[in-house]
Amino acid sequence: MTADGPEPGPVRDPAVLRGALARLNEARLASEGSFDRLGALLSGFEELAKVLPGADRRPGEERRPGEERRSDAAGALAELEALLAEPGAEGGAAALRGYLEPILERLIEALLDHPERRLAVYGSLLPGENNHHHVAALVGRWVEGTVEGTLHDRGWAARQGYPGFVPGSSGDRVAVKVLESSGLPDAWERLDAFEGEAYRRILAPVEMAPGTGAGSETAWRVCNIYELTDIARPVRAPDRDGDSA
C-alpha cells in the first residue's frame, strides 16, 4: 500500500472477517484468470475495506445523510465484462482478469498484514512431530495461538495419530502454533503437494498470544491453515499400523 493508504492493524473481532475470508477461500477454489476467481477476490476485498481499520471510514461509523452508497464492485465488474464480450472486444475480458487479479491479491495481502507469511500448525508439522522437517528450514518464529474449529479423526495424518482441522464458529477452539516466515510464499506449492487432496489451505483468523503485535491486548491475525476436505476418509483402527507420511 502507499504511505497514505490503509494501514493493517490487529483485528479485535474475528466475526467481522468471516464473510470476506469465505469469499477469499472461494477464490482459491476457482481457476486462475477465471471470472469466478476475480469476482470472489473483488467481493472479498470490498468486504475487507468495509470492516478493517484504515478503510475510508472507522469501523461502525454510519454514513452521513445524503451520502451515496458505494456501487457493488462485483456487479460493476460483471457489467464491464459484458461490455468487453461485445463484438470487436474478443480477448478483452481475459486481459482484464489477468491484469486485475494480481493487483487485488496484493491489496488483500496488505490489508490482512500479509497472511501468506503465516501458517497455523496443529498436527504433524509442529516442532518435534513426524513431519516438522517440511518446515524446519524456514527461517522465522513460532507463536502460540488458537483457532475456532474442531479436530476430526479423518485424513491421512490421522493414521499417524494427528486429527484434521475443520473450521467452525461454535466457540470450540483448537490450539495451534503459528509459523511466521518470509520464506513461506515460496514454500506453499511444496507444502500443498505434501498435504495432498485430503487437506486444503484456507485463510482463517487465529487468536495470537498477548504481546504479538498488539501490546497486552488480544489480537487476531489471519493465517493460512490446512483444513480437511470432503475426500478425507475416516481413519479405522487397522489404518494406524505401519503408515508413514
Side-chain angles (χ1 to χ4, degrees):
M1 307 296 286
T2 60
D4 56 352
E7 292 293 335
V11 178
R12 307 300 182 193
D13 180 7
V16 302
L17 293 179
R18 288 194 181 111
L21 294 183
R23 294 295 285 158
L24 298 180
N25 289 327
E26 181 182 325
R28 289 186 170 187
L29 292 175
S31 301
E32 290 188 9
S34 67
F35 180 74
D36 286 344
R37 180 179 175 86
L38 185 57
L41 286 172
L42 200 53
S43 295
F45 174 75
E46 187 176 38
E47 288 295 317
L48 290 176
K50 292 176 183 177
V51 300
L52 288 181
D56 58 353
R57 64 187 67 254
R58 293 184 296 275
E61 182 181 349
E62 298 294 333
R63 293 185 178 273
R64 295 183 293 272
E67 183 179 5
E68 293 184 1
R69 181 176 180 81
R70 230 175 359 166
S71 60
D72 181 80
L77 180 65
E79 292 180 13
L80 182 56
E81 172 129 338
L83 289 173
L84 291 172
E86 292 180 354
E90 291 84 356
L96 173 70
R97 292 193 295 267
Y99 177 75
L100 288 180
E101 189 172 301
I103 294 175
L104 278 171
E105 289 175 341
R106 291 182 65 180
L107 287 171
I108 290 166
E109 274 289 297
L111 280 174
L112 293 177
D113 195 18
H114 304 286
E116 289 299 286
R117 302 174 188 173
R118 292 188 291 274
L119 171 63
V121 176
Y122 56 87
S124 70
L125 293 178
L126 285 166
E129 300 298 339
N130 290 2
N131 295 310
H132 178 66
H133 59 277
H134 288 283
V135 294
L138 296 174
V139 177
R141 66 169 183 163
W142 291 87
V143 181
E144 302 282 345
T146 61
V147 60
E148 291 183 301
T150 52
L151 295 179
H152 294 257
D153 208 22
R154 293 190 289 119
W156 63 260
R159 299 194 294 274
Q160 300 179 3
Y162 300 107
F165 173 72
V166 175
S169 56
S170 65
D172 294 327
R173 297 287 188 89
V174 172
V176 297
K177 288 188 177 180
V178 177
L179 171 60
E180 298 181 328
S181 172
S182 59
L184 274 168
D186 293 330
W188 290 129
E189 184 175 357
R190 173 175 58 82
L191 291 174
D192 291 348
F194 162 71
E195 295 288 352
E197 294 183 348
Y199 301 86
R200 180 169 74 99
R201 182 163 52 90
I202 63 169
L203 295 173
V206 175
E207 186 177 11
M208 307 289 276
T212 308
S216 60
E217 300 180 36
T218 297
W220 298 74
R221 289 284 186 267
V222 175
C223 305
N224 282 269
I225 188 170
Y226 285 97
E227 70 164 353
L228 284 169
T229 66
D230 291 338
I231 68 172
R233 65 183 179 87
V235 66
R236 299 184 299 272
D239 291 335
R240 294 190 182 276
D241 300 326
D243 282 283
S244 60

